[in-house]
């Protein structure tokens, strides 16, 4: 939630109208970005994490979002969230891959969350995993460009490990009480994706699965 708050602050600093459209007018719309945090030399102390540095990687095919976020981030040299303070380091653009093949292998950079229609997590070992993955991919593309998958998406998990994510936010604590947490069963590892290159390109840029705007589903293409 710290990172989500940082995103909101950067967008407000850069363009208040765009921020309101993304987070107030169209709250239910899927966000056109994903990100992955890297915690350098982190240590746990009960419910807090101490670290030397927080490195954030953002991805989006949406030029308007990236423009406002980048400009806002350049303005926000210092950020406070509750009792925590952050000082921004350097900001740089990373090279992006162009997908031309119909088959790629991706590796997760942040946890992948796939759920069924009852919001229950789906394991890659279950045969319906590919169906729910493709359904979510179709939804993401439909929200972003107005149409879903151009062709069927074939999903093959290669090496996936279970990761349980513990999270808290003010809405949940207000309704369930203090010191209560949300738990998400996610998976990290590698998958083979087969489909139309245009679909694969956008999914690579937008992220995959649920809660992408909260730091889930960022992938890197390692073959293809």
């Amino acid at each position: 939630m710290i990172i989500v708050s940082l995103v909101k602050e950067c967008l407000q600093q850069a363009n208040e109208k765009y921020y309101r459209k993304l987070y107030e007018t169209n709250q239910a719309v899927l966000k056109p970005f994903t990100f992955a945090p890297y915690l350098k030399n982190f240590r746990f102390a009960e419910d807090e994490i101490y670290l030397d540095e927080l490195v954030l990687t953002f991805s989006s095919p949406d030029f308007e979002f990236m423009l406002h976020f980048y400009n806002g981030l350049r303005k926000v040299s210092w950020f406070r969230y509750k009792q925590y303070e952050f000082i921004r380091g350097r900001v740089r653009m990373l090279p992006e891959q162009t997908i031309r093949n119909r088959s790629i292998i991706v590796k997760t950079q942040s946890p992948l969350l796939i759920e069924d229609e009852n919001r229950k997590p789906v394991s890659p070992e279950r045969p319906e995993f590919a169906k729910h993955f493709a359904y979510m991919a179709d939804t993401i593309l439909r929200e972003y460009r107005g149409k879903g998958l151009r062709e069927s998406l074939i999903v093959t998990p290669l090496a996936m490990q279970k990761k349980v994510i513990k999270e808290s936010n003010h809405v949940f604590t207000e309704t369930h009480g203090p010191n209560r947490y949300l738990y998400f069963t996610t998976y990290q590892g590698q998958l083979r994706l087969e489909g139309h290159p245009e679909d694969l390109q956008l999914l690579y840029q937008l992220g995959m699965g649920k809660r992408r705007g909260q730091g889930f589903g960022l992938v890197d293409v390692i073959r293809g």
Side-chain angles (χ1 to χ4, degrees):
M1 291 299 103
I2 293 175
I3 302 171
V4 173
S5 294
L6 174 63
V7 172
K8 292 180 178 180
E9 177 66 19
C10 291
L11 295 180
Q12 283 182 300
Q13 290 283 342
N15 190 301
E16 180 75 23
K17 183 178 180 181
Y18 179 79
Y19 161 77
R20 292 185 181 278
K21 182 183 76 171
L22 196 62
Y23 281 100
E24 294 181 3
T25 307
N26 300 316
Q27 291 187 42
V29 173
L30 297 178
K31 302 301 183 280
F33 68 91
T34 185
F35 64 86
Y38 172 73
L39 282 61
K40 184 177 179 181
N41 298 328
F42 65 89
R43 292 89 60 194
F44 286 103
E46 296 183 354
D47 287 337
E48 293 193 317
I49 304 173
Y50 293 83
L51 62 152
D52 293 344
E53 186 178 25
L54 173 63
V55 179
L56 301 177
T57 302
F58 280 81
S59 176
S60 175
D62 191 308
F63 178 78
E64 184 178 15
F65 167 79
M66 291 301 288
L67 175 66
H68 294 319
F69 177 64
Y70 179 82
N71 288 338
L73 191 59
R74 299 285 295 182
K75 295 179 179 180
V76 180
S77 59
W78 175 87
F79 178 69
R80 184 180 182 88
Y81 179 87
K82 297 181 179 179
Q83 71 270 33
Y84 306 103
E85 297 180 0
F86 297 84
I87 298 174
R88 175 182 53 76
R90 64 174 178 157
V91 180
R92 63 190 181 100
M93 302 295 289
L94 298 175
E96 184 178 78
Q97 295 196 48
T98 300
I99 297 172
R100 297 184 175 88
N101 296 335
R102 300 183 59 84
S103 177
I104 62 173
I105 294 178
V106 300
K107 180 179 181 181
T108 59
Q109 298 300 308
S110 58
L112 177 66
L113 178 62
I114 301 297
E115 296 179 335
D116 62 17
E117 58 274 8
N118 299 313
R119 301 178 70 178
K120 300 295 184 181
V122 182
S123 166
E125 298 175 354
R126 288 165 56 182
E128 63 268 32
F129 176 83
K131 179 187 74 172
H132 291 295
F133 187 106
Y135 174 80
M136 194 63 220
D138 184 77
T139 302
I140 292 168
L141 295 181
R142 195 174 303 279
E143 286 272 8
Y144 178 69
R145 68 183 180 189
K147 59 182 179 180
L149 292 165
R150 292 170 62 95
E151 297 179 9
S152 297
L153 180 66
I154 301 174
V155 184
T156 307
L158 300 178
M160 304 290 287
Q161 290 186 329
K162 179 179 176 180
K163 300 288 183 182
V164 178
I165 306 301
K166 176 182 177 182
E167 184 182 287
S168 179
N169 61 61
H170 72 278
V171 176
F172 186 78
T173 55
E174 285 175 2
T175 56
H176 292 78
N179 301 319
R180 298 292 299 275
Y181 297 91
L182 290 163
Y183 292 90
F184 300 103
T185 300
T186 69
Y187 293 86
Q188 289 186 294
Q190 297 181 15
L191 307 97
R192 178 184 291 110
L193 304 178
E194 300 172 68
H196 195 285
E198 183 181 320
D199 294 341
L200 300 179
Q201 181 72 42
L202 281 175
L203 290 171
Y204 158 60
Q205 296 171 310
L206 285 164
M208 303 174 188
K210 289 193 169 184
R211 294 182 175 266
R212 297 170 301 103
Q214 297 178 16
F216 291 75
L218 178 65
V219 301
D220 190 21
V221 178
I222 59 175
R223 188 181 304 170

